[in-house]
Amino acid sequence: MEGIGGDGASVASPLPQWGHDAWRMYQYYLDKSTPHSTYRWIGTLVVAAMYCLRVYYVQGFYIISYGLGIYLLNLLIGFLSPLVDPELEGSDGPVLPTKGSDEFKPFIRRLPELKFWYSMTKAFCIAFLMTFFSVFDVPVFWPILLCYWVVLFVLTMRRQIGHMIKYKYIPFNIGKQKYTGKKASTSSGRVRGD
């Protein structure tokens, strides 16, 4: 009885095993690319350029581009937003500094940079693949879609940038911050008595 169950399992296992191995290899290379943000973004720009060239040469699929634009705008909002919104959160927990005398609190994004990059790259790849199916080539007047997206972008980013200025946070940083030593004081060696 043990031999019968074992043979049936070994016949069906190569396909799931191959899929599992492919997924593990994909995860391995994704993990290896994590610290190389510049190269990851260059790869995303290449994928985006391929998509733009495909849409330009086919002269269609504007509805996919519109959907992609809305999705990327949503990702950008998540990337630029703090995890805890000071306007919605009461003053019972840590808040972002609003005055120069406030203590520095680190900016924690609602959507981390790696997930932002991964979602953006995946969206461009899926949109690129969708351009090979004619069912998604819906005839639309693309200037209307472009104008609507620009209005949506301006209104959303105006609120987001106003929020960033009000709470004085900068969501962009390049790499880890390093301690470079004590800053030199202007009156080196002299103690000022007031």
Side-chain angles (χ1 to χ4, degrees), residues 128-143:
F128 181 76
L129 290 175
M130 288 174 72
T131 60
F132 291 100
F133 299 99
S134 62
V135 70
F136 297 114
D137 193 12
V138 180
V140 292
F141 189 59
W142 66 265

Side-chain angles (χ1 to χ4, degrees), residues 61-121:
F61 298 102
Y62 300 120
I63 200 77
I64 295 173
S65 299
Y66 177 71
L68 178 66
I70 295 295
Y71 181 70
L72 294 180
L73 181 62
N74 187 20
L75 288 177
L76 185 64
I77 291 168
F79 180 71
L80 295 177
S81 299
L83 183 63
V84 178
D85 191 357
E87 291 178 349
L88 301 177
E89 182 76 18
S91 62
D92 55 339
V95 296
L96 294 171
T98 55
K99 297 182 285 252
S101 63
D102 286 348
E103 180 185 344
F104 173 74
K105 304 282 192 293
F107 177 79
I108 300 172
R109 292 183 179 93
R110 191 168 29 135
L111 182 66
E113 188 267 339
L114 183 69
K115 287 185 179 180
F116 176 61
W117 164 79
Y118 181 73
S119 299
M120 182 178 281
T121 305

Side-chain angles (χ1 to χ4, degrees), residues 48-70:
M50 287 174 34
Y51 171 76
C52 292
L53 286 173
R54 170 83 177 146
V55 169
Y56 176 74
Y57 284 122
V58 173
Q59 296 289 320
F61 298 102
Y62 300 120
I63 200 77
I64 295 173
S65 299
Y66 177 71
L68 178 66
I70 295 295

Side-chain angles (χ1 to χ4, degrees), residues 1-18:
M1 284 235 222
E2 292 174 13
I4 296 172
D7 290 340
S10 65
V11 171
S13 67
L15 189 59
Q17 182 64 31
W18 179 82

